Amino acid sequence: EIVLTQSPDTLSLSPGERATLSCRASQSVSSNYLAWYQQKPGQAPRLLIYSTSIRATGIPDRFSGSGSGTDFTLTISRLEPEDFAVYYCQRYGTSPLYTFGQGTKLEIK
Amino acid sequence: QVLLQESGPGLVKPSGTLSLTCAVSAGSISSSNWWSWVRQSPGKGLEWIGEIYQGDRATYNPSLMSRVTISVDNSKNQIFLRLNSVTAADTAVYYCARNGAYCLDVWGTGTTVTVS
C-alpha cells in the first residue's frame, strides 16, 4: 500500500504570504491520480485540485498544484483569511482505491 | 449541484451493526457515477471505506472488507452503509461522496457515529 506523507504537520503563516505544502508518496503516483482537499472545522473536505494541477470548479486561482513521481506540492500564492484550514492530499490507486495523507494544518501566525 | 446528506444512529453498541443512509438530491445515483463512503477519526485520519456503481458493483477497502456492505436503492436515490461487529475503533465521522476523476468531488456534510 502506498503511503502519503505530508509536511509540515503545521504551517504558521500570515495573510498575504505564500504557502507551500508538500505531499510525498512512498511509491510513484501517476499525476492523474493525485488530488488535494481543504477541510475547515466541522465541515467536510472540499476538493481543491485533481490530476495534480487542475483546479476544481469554483476554486480561486491562488491555489495551484504541481509535482510528479513521488513529490507533489500545493501552493497558495497569497493567503486569504479563509484559507486557514487543514489540507489533505489523496492518491487513487489499488487496494485501497483511495488513500489520504495525514494532513497539514495551516494556521494564522 | 448534487447534494449528499448522511443520516443514521449516532450511537451504536460494541459488537453491533452500524447502518447509515446517504440521500442524494439534485442528481441521480443511477447516473454514470460511482459513490463512496469515507470515514474520519482522530486516530486514523481520513479512511476510504468503499464504493458502489449503479447498485451492482461494489469495491471495498481490504481492511474493512469482511465487515462492510454498501448498497443502493435507486428508486429512493439513497446509498447505504452497513458495518458489522463494530468496536470503539469504528467511532468516526462518516461521509458519503461522489467519485470524480480519480478523486471525490462532492461530499456530504457527514454524520458522527460513536461506538459505546
Side-chain angles (χ1 to χ4, degrees):
Chain A
E1 178 180 335
I2 293 180
V3 175
L4 301 179
T5 302
Q6 294 185 239
S7 61
D9 288 333
T10 303
L11 183 58
S12 300
L13 294 170
S14 301
E17 291 192 293
R18 181 184 186 91
T20 303
L21 287 68
S22 173
C23 176
R24 177 162 290 179
S26 58
Q27 299 176 42
S28 184
V29 175
S30 166
S31 59
N32 288 331
Y33 295 167
L34 199 288
W36 291 91
Y37 300 83
Q38 177 193 67
Q39 187 177 33
K40 296 179 179 179
Q43 297 184 15
R46 177 176 71 145
L47 178 66
L48 294 176
I49 301 281
Y50 64 98
S51 296
T52 297
S53 60
I54 302 175
R55 281 187 300 276
T57 304
I59 302 303
D61 60 8
R62 64 180 181 273
F63 291 90
S64 63
S66 63
S68 64
T70 59
D71 292 300
F72 297 87
T73 300
L74 174 70
T75 301
I76 311 171
S77 59
R78 285 181 57 86
L79 286 166
E80 298 287 342
E82 62 267 27
D83 298 337
F84 293 92
V86 180
Y87 292 84
Y88 295 94
C89 58
Q90 168 250 301
R91 155 261 179 194
Y92 174 90
T94 56
S95 199
L97 285 179
Y98 297 91
T99 54
F100 297 86
Q102 86 280 10
T104 290
K105 181 180 181 180
L106 179 56
E107 64 177 21
I108 300 176
K109 188 173 182 180
Chain B
Q1 170 73 316
V2 66
L3 296 174
L4 310 178
Q5 180 66 61
E6 305 86 348
S7 62
L11 183 65
V12 181
K13 293 185 184 302
S15 77
T17 297
L18 181 160
S19 296
L20 298 177
T21 300
C22 173
V24 179
S25 56
S28 172
I29 64 171
S30 57
S31 63
S32 55
N33 281 108
W34 289 76
W35 305 88
S36 282
W37 284 94
V38 178
R39 68 182 183 180
Q40 185 173 31
S41 61
K44 293 198 70 174
L46 287 163
E47 181 179 30
W48 177 78
I49 298 169
E51 64 177 8
I52 193 162
Y53 179 71
Q54 294 190 349
D56 61 357
R57 276 187 277 173
T59 308
Y60 301 116
N61 189 323
S63 68
L64 297 168
M65 187 182 300
S66 64
R67 299 192 292 130
V68 67
T69 303
I70 297 175
S71 59
V72 302
D73 184 330
N74 288 307
S75 66
K76 295 183 178 180
N77 232 27
Q78 293 177 333
I79 307 158
F80 307 104
L81 171 69
R82 186 178 174 92
L83 184 65
N84 300 325
S85 305
V86 297
T87 69
D90 296 309
T91 294
V93 178
Y94 286 76
Y95 297 99
C96 57
R98 186 181 72 178
N99 294 24
Y102 311 114
C103 60
L104 301 169
D105 64 355
V106 180
W107 294 62
T109 55
T111 189
T112 300
V113 178
T114 301
V115 179
S116 179

